[in-house]
Amino acid sequence: MDEYLRERGRNQSLTDIIAYNNADLATRAPFGQNLLLAAEATTGDLSSPVYQDADQRARNYATTSLEKLLTASDVVVGADFRLVDFAAVAGYPSISIPFGQFGDVTFGGLASVIAVARPHEEAKLLTFARAAEEIGQRVIPSLGEDSETMAWQRD
């Protein structure tokens, strides 16, 4: 991270950013800075065996999880933002589809779902997202056995 900041002409380090956030955590890091603290505790060497092993385990877990969800369809839809993380780690395409509003002002009151498809199946993902927006449907939570999925329902 320090190298990244230096390359971009910033006179900061990860330690500087953490200290800056600590001065007003509620405003500057309202969701905490656990990831920054964890990053600061590492060597930062992306070629280290420890990092490589953790990276491979994360990719395997994300890929396996998404493949389980994609066994019954070409696209999986969910409201859980871990779906975005899994897609990014596994290298699967994803898209956010707006569907309405809710009372949480933290995110401006906008609500959306995430749709994910397999690699190289972006056309299926975009077709699904376009159809969902054109139909004017909204997503109604149907939290059953798998809280990461939701049911589509007309208003």
Side-chain angles (χ1 to χ4, degrees):
M1 180 61 108
D2 291 345
E3 182 179 331
Y4 173 85
L5 293 169
R6 277 192 305 274
E7 287 175 1
R8 304 296 176 287
R10 304 225 191 311
N11 294 321
Q12 291 180 310
S13 67
L14 183 56
T15 302
D16 295 335
I17 292 171
I18 291 169
Y20 174 81
N21 288 346
N22 280 334
D24 187 2
L25 276 175
T27 302
R28 298 176 183 167
F31 300 110
Q33 55 183 356
N34 292 342
L35 293 177
L36 295 178
L37 294 169
E40 185 181 41
T42 70
T43 65
D45 181 5
L46 300 183
S47 64
S48 78
V50 171
Y51 174 81
Q52 291 294 318
D53 181 57
D55 182 58
Q56 190 59 52
R57 282 186 288 118
R59 288 177 193 278
N60 290 344
Y61 182 77
T63 301
T64 300
S65 298
L66 289 173
E67 284 302 323
K68 284 180 183 176
L69 292 172
L70 286 163
T71 57
S73 64
D74 291 331
V75 175
V76 65
V77 179
D80 190 328
F81 285 94
R82 288 179 297 176
L83 201 51
V84 171
D85 297 338
F86 285 8
V89 170
Y92 284 41
S94 64
I95 191 168
S96 175
I97 306 167
F99 74 88
Q101 295 183 333
F102 57 93
D104 185 351
V105 295
T106 304
F107 296 105
L110 300 177
S112 64
V113 293
I114 307 304
V116 177
R118 287 184 176 87
H120 312 293
E121 294 188 354
E122 289 84 353
K124 291 178 183 178
L125 187 62
L126 291 173
T127 298
F128 175 83
R130 186 178 305 115
E133 287 185 343
E134 287 176 359
I135 293 170
Q137 298 183 117
R138 64 186 176 113
V139 176
I140 306 297
S142 175
L143 303 177
E145 293 178 27
D146 185 355
S147 66
E148 291 183 359
T149 61
M150 301 190 77
W152 287 90
Q153 176 179 320
R154 269 195 196 279
D155 286 339

